[in-house]
Amino acid sequence: DVKVTQSSRYLVKRTGEKVFLECVQDMDHENMFWYRQDPGLGLRLIYFSYDVKMKEKGDIPEGYSVSREKKERFSLILESASTNQTSMYLCASSLSGQIYEQYFGPGTRLTVT
Amino acid sequence: AQSVAQPEDQVNVAEGNPLTVKCTYSVSGNPYLFWYVQYPNRGLQFLLKYITGDNLVKGSYGFEAEFNKSQTSFHLKKPSALVSDSALYFCAASYNTDKLIFGTGTRLQVFP
């Protein structure tokens, strides 16, 4: 079974802090994704990585950056957290190719106060 | 623009009755279509996908989905709902890319 793990289930940070969210997958998938989920808005793609050190902006990259130094690990960085970044963050991975489904981690609920 | 629509925020159904969760997609190429389910405080789980071939696709937990090209729809169905099916359901599409476009989600409530 594919397993995608995220470093924290719940996180509380203060405005202006730098925040790191970590994601690890164990199935040697080429693709990794970071989404945020907000009620009524569904899932919105923040960043996508299709290979080590390769990344592509998603629909809402502002205020975020990512790092993929190893194939199994994809980090999301909030450079200076703001209250409007309070959300559920979901990581996913997939094989390369549009026919393949994505496998999701359990999510990190981030609250910025 | 490419998009996925789930017209119902919530669907209520009695246990044992058939259920349908609706999804339509924009006509812009030939997308591949997916359904995912999210239980409370969990990530999304893949249910099924349509790539090509038979318009009726069978998936996990007794769910199936019907692809209708003329109506640009991909509705999720189950012949007999269970209380444990209560969850948030997402339809998604990929248009010539590995990225998915998600609908806004439909909350399914199954009442005993």
Side-chain angles (χ1 to χ4, degrees):
Chain A
D1 269 358
V2 176
K3 195 164 186 183
V4 180
T5 56
Q6 295 184 228
S7 51
S8 305
R9 292 299 305 273
Y10 300 94
L11 209 52
V12 180
K13 295 291 182 181
R14 294 194 180 275
T15 301
E17 278 192 86
K18 192 168 186 176
V19 181
F20 293 86
L21 302 182
E22 301 269 308
C23 176
V24 177
Q25 51 96 2
D26 66 357
M27 281 302 290
D28 203 35
H29 284 171
E30 294 85 2
N31 294 336
M32 295 189 76
F33 308 82
W34 274 108
Y35 297 91
R36 65 177 280 176
Q37 181 181 7
D38 300 289
L41 298 177
L43 274 72
R44 293 179 292 168
L45 181 65
I46 305 172
Y47 267 98
F48 161 49
S49 170
Y50 49 93
D51 201 349
V52 175
K53 298 189 188 291
M54 306 304 287
K55 62 186 179 186
E56 195 175 299
K57 289 180 181 179
D59 301 316
I60 51 164
E62 297 78 19
Y64 303 95
S65 61
V66 290
S67 173
R68 193 167 180 201
E69 297 295 320
K70 293 185 177 181
K71 191 174 185 180
E72 67 271 19
R73 189 179 297 269
F74 192 33
S75 301
L76 179 69
I77 302 150
L78 285 67
E79 297 291 343
S80 177
S82 63
T83 55
N84 63 13
Q85 292 178 310
T86 292
S87 187
M88 170 71 92
Y89 289 86
L90 293 169
C91 176
S93 72
S94 76
L95 291 168
S96 179
Q98 69 176 115
I99 68 169
Y100 295 107
E101 60 272 23
Q102 294 180 15
Y103 293 85
F104 285 80
T108 295
R109 186 165 295 281
L110 173 68
T111 302
V112 182
T113 61
Chain B
Q2 297 157 349
S3 64
V4 174
Q6 293 181 244
E8 301 156 318
D9 290 335
Q10 181 153 327
V11 170
N12 299 317
V13 64
E15 189 173 32
N17 282 2
L19 70 87
T20 299
V21 182
K22 295 179 180 177
C23 172
T24 59
Y25 61 93
S26 62
V27 179
S28 178
N30 293 308
Y32 297 144
L33 299 162
F34 301 80
W35 275 102
Y36 289 84
V37 60
Q38 185 179 36
Y39 297 102
N41 299 313
R42 303 282 294 277
L44 275 67
Q45 295 178 35
F46 167 73
L47 277 178
L48 50 79
K49 64 183 175 184
Y50 175 79
I51 304 299
T52 187
D54 193 347
N55 289 344
L56 188 65
V57 179
K58 294 192 183 296
S60 305
Y61 312 122
F63 284 93
E64 56 192 26
E66 186 170 12
F67 173 70
N68 187 319
K69 189 170 183 178
S70 63
Q71 296 185 3
T72 63
S73 67
F74 188 55
H75 299 334
L76 182 70
K77 301 182 179 187
K78 189 173 182 182
S80 179
L82 299 172
V83 172
S84 57
D85 292 330
S86 299
L88 189 55
Y89 290 81
F90 288 97
C91 182
S94 63
Y95 290 86
N96 299 316
T97 171
D98 292 9
K99 295 182 284 188
L100 288 175
I101 298 172
F102 283 87
T104 52
T106 299
R107 186 164 300 282
L108 174 66
Q109 290 277 12
V110 182
F111 296 95

